[in-house]
Amino acid sequence: MTAVLSIVSAQAVEGTPAKDSFQFTAKLDIGNGERSCTAALVESQWLVTAASCFADNPTQGFKVAAGAPKLPTIATIGRTDLTRNTGSVMKVVELVPRADRDLVMAKLEKPVTGIAPVNLGFNAPSQGEDVFVSGYGRTKDEWVPNSLHYAKFSVGDTKDGSVNLTGKSDNAVVCEGDTGGPAFREADGRYELVGVNSRSWMGGCLGHEDETRKGALDTRTDDIAGWIQSVSSRDLLKRSNWKYAKHIASGYFTGDPASNSKRRMDMFVAWEDGEATLFKGADHDDPKYPFSAEYKLESKGSYWKNAEAVTAGRYSDTGTDGLTVRWANGKLSTYTHVDEKGFHEEKTLAEPGSWWSHARLITSGRFSANALRDDLIVLWEDGSTSMYTDTGVNGVKKETQLTLKDDGFKNAVQINAIEYTGGKTADLMIRWKDGQTQVFPGGDTKGDHGRLQVTPVGYHWTHAAQITVGNFTKPGGPLNDILVRWDTTDLSYYPNVTPNAIPSKDRGPVGEVQLVG
C-alpha cells in the first residue's frame, strides 16, 4: 500500500457529498499547499489525524517530532462546502504524536465554537461492521473538490493498532488528501470515532486509474481513546477564570447510565455572569485530567444569574442525575436530567415567593437507606436543618426536622453529601467558618455523637469558595473525592478522602491534585 498523501489541496473520500452533521471533519493545509490532509475534531481545541501527514518522508515512516509543526499548518473546521464562508479557519500550533502508530494530536491556536466534536469510541470495530469514512481528498474526476465527501466501508481484519476497510460500493475509495480522515460508526444517534485513514491502494482515484485495488488501512483509535482524551483535555479547565464560578455540582449527567462504572463524574458550573457549563467526566485514569469535554449550556446573562443554591442528585429512575435549584425569588425547581444538550424535565417544587427563599444551603444524597432516589438536606437561615426524602417523587412534602434554630449551624459555610464512612447511606459533610470540616455519618446532625473531623480549626479551607464531592479519581469509584474552587483562580481536588486518609488531628486531606493554578 502507498501512503495517502498529496501535494495538492483536496476534498474527500470518493463518494457522496457529506452532510453538515459531519462538520467535525477538518481540512488541513500543510506548508501553504505543499500537502493536504484530513483530520477530525475530538475536542474544541484538538484534532486527531495521521502522523504521516507531518513526516519528512511519509513513504519512509510516520515518525514526527512533538511540538510546533515544521511546516505552517492551517485547519478548516465546520465547512463541508469549501465555497461557503462558514466554520473556523485557524493555525495548528502543536503536535503530540503517538509513538506506536500513524497518529498525532494537533492543537489549534484557540477552541472552535458551534461545532460538535466527534465522540470517541471505546469499543473495537468488529469484522463486518459498517463505518463511515469522510475526507477532503481528490475524487475520481476532481483534483481539488469543493465539498467534503463520505462513503460507507466494511470492517475487515482488526489488528493491534490498525484495521482494514473495504468500500461498500464501487466509488468508496480513500484517495490522496484523505490521509488522517476519520472512520466512524453511528451508534444511538451519535458518531463514534474508530480510526483515522493511514494508507490506501487508491484504485479509481484521479491519477490512479490503472489501479484496481481499493482497500484501505486505518489506524485504530478505540484502544487509545483514553490517551486521546488525556491529551485533548489537558488545557480544558485552564480556559476558564474559576474566580467567577458561583455554583459547582457533580453528577453522572452525560452518557449511557450503564457506563457510569467506567468513567468519572461530570461537573456542572453556574458562573456569576449567568453562563452555565457542563464538563464531561473522562473515561481514563489520569488523575490530572478528570474531565474530557466542555459544553456551554447557557450564555452570559441567562437566568442562571438568579441561582442562589444548586445541588445535583438522582431524581428519576433513568439512572442519570439532575439538578435542584433554589432561585433568588424563592422558587425551588428540579431538572430531572441534564446533559450536553441542556436541561430537561423541569419540575417546580415550590412557587416563587415561597418559604424556600429562606433556604441558605442545600445538598442531595442517599441519606435514607431505603430511598429509591436522593434526599434533600436543607440548612435554613435560622440555623435549623431539615431533610426531605425521595425528592423526585414526593416533591418537598416529606420533611424531617434534623436540628432546631440556633443549634450552631448558622456557622456552616458549605454542605455536601459524601460517602466518607463506607456505610449504606451517604454522610453529610459541613465546612464551617473557622476552617473546620466535619462529617456527620448518615447525615445525622442530632448531637455531636459520631462527628468525624476532616480538617481542623484554622485550616486553610477557610479559602475554599466552592466545594463539591464526587468521583474524580477512578471510574466507578466512591463519591469521596473533594473538589475545591479556591477564592483565587485555583482549582484542585483531594482524592479518596476517608477517615484513614486524615493523618492527624492537625492536618487535612493529603494527596491534593492541582487542576488549575
Side-chain angles (χ1 to χ4, degrees), residues 214-449:
K214 298 182 178 181
L217 183 72
D218 268 33
T219 298
R220 284 175 58 186
T221 57
D222 63 281
D223 58 333
I224 57 168
W227 176 83
I228 293 174
Q229 273 194 353
S230 65
V231 172
S232 63
S233 61
R234 66 185 189 184
D235 297 321
L236 188 66
L237 297 174
K238 297 178 182 178
R239 298 175 196 156
S240 300
N241 189 337
W242 288 94
K243 185 177 181 180
Y244 300 105
K246 186 178 179 181
H247 302 289
I248 298 177
S250 61
Y252 288 112
F253 302 117
T254 65
D256 182 352
S259 70
N260 288 351
S261 62
K262 300 178 182 179
R263 65 184 185 88
R264 294 185 256 186
M265 273 188 158
D266 311 312
M267 179 174 65
F268 171 80
V269 183
W271 304 86
E272 288 183 3
D273 60 8
E275 187 175 31
T277 303
L278 188 63
F279 292 89
K280 183 179 180 180
D283 301 84
H284 57 81
D285 290 336
D286 191 333
K288 296 179 182 178
Y289 311 113
F291 306 105
S292 62
E294 177 184 10
Y295 305 105
K296 301 287 187 180
L297 304 187
E298 292 291 346
S299 302
K300 296 178 181 178
S302 82
Y303 57 94
W304 279 96
K305 290 193 302 183
N306 301 316
E308 292 296 322
V310 180
T311 185
R314 187 66 48 84
Y315 307 121
S316 69
D317 297 327
T318 62
T320 58
D321 291 338
L323 295 171
T324 294
V325 187
R326 199 274 282 176
W327 304 95
N329 62 1
K331 178 182 176 181
L332 185 74
S333 60
T334 289
Y335 300 95
T336 58
H337 179 48
V338 179
D339 59 20
E340 55 267 44
K341 296 178 181 178
F343 307 94
H344 307 280
E345 297 184 57
E346 181 182 11
K347 296 181 180 179
T348 299
L349 305 182
E351 297 291 342
S354 74
W355 73 93
W356 279 88
S357 59
H358 301 291
R360 188 164 67 85
L361 301 172
I362 60 175
T363 191
S364 293
R366 203 65 53 88
F367 297 106
S368 301
N370 297 319
L372 298 176
R373 300 167 187 83
D374 282 357
D375 311 309
L376 187 68
I377 285 185
V378 184
L379 196 155
W380 303 93
E381 288 178 346
D382 64 4
S384 62
T385 59
S386 303
M387 182 171 69
Y388 298 87
T389 57
D390 213 6
T391 310
V393 171
N394 298 300
V396 289
K397 297 178 181 178
K398 287 188 175 182
E399 179 184 12
T400 301
Q401 192 158 29
L402 302 179
T403 61
L404 301 175
K405 65 179 182 179
D406 300 325
D407 275 358
F409 285 82
K410 284 185 177 181
N411 295 317
V413 178
Q414 290 150 349
I415 61 174
N416 281 277
I418 186 172
E419 296 178 7
Y420 187 77
T421 59
K424 294 182 179 179
T425 60
D427 309 309
L428 179 66
M429 187 180 77
I430 298 181
R431 206 270 285 174
W432 306 94
K433 285 182 180 179
D434 60 7
Q436 268 190 111
T437 305
Q438 295 176 322
V439 167
F440 297 80
D444 181 12
T445 59
K446 298 177 180 179
D448 290 341
H449 59 280

Side-chain angles (χ1 to χ4, degrees), residues 42-55:
V42 292
E43 199 276 326
S44 61
Q45 200 170 354
W46 286 88
L47 304 171
V48 63
T49 187
S52 51
C53 291
F54 301 93

Side-chain angles (χ1 to χ4, degrees), residues 31 80 96 115 126 130 144 153 157 169 178 203 220 223 226 230 259 274 310 344 383 443 459 491 512:
T80 57
V96 181
I115 302 169
S126 56
D130 287 351
V144 187
F153 286 73
D157 293 337
S169 61
D178 294 327
R220 284 175 58 186
D223 58 333
S230 65
S259 70
V310 180
H344 307 280
Y459 199 65
L491 189 72
E512 179 182 10

Side-chain angles (χ1 to χ4, degrees), residues 143-158:
W143 201 268
V144 187
N146 284 323
S147 60
L148 176 70
H149 286 69
Y150 76 96
K152 269 191 175 183
F153 286 73
S154 179
V155 172
D157 293 337
T158 300

Side-chain angles (χ1 to χ4, degrees), residues 9-12 20 25-28 36-37 75-86 88-89 135-137 144-149:
S9 60
Q11 242 283 223
D20 280 346
T25 311
K27 180 182 183 300
L28 296 179
S36 180
C37 281
T76 302
I77 312 106
R79 189 177 297 177
T80 57
D81 183 345
L82 295 176
T83 64
R84 300 189 321 206
N85 188 23
T86 57
S88 299
V89 180
Y136 284 93
V144 187
N146 284 323
S147 60
L148 176 70
H149 286 69

Side-chain angles (χ1 to χ4, degrees), residues 44-45 47 75 77 90-93 106-110 112:
S44 61
Q45 200 170 354
L47 304 171
I77 312 106
M90 59 184 65
K91 296 178 183 178
V92 171
V93 295
K107 185 179 181 181
L108 302 171
E109 59 183 332
K110 60 183 179 180
V112 300

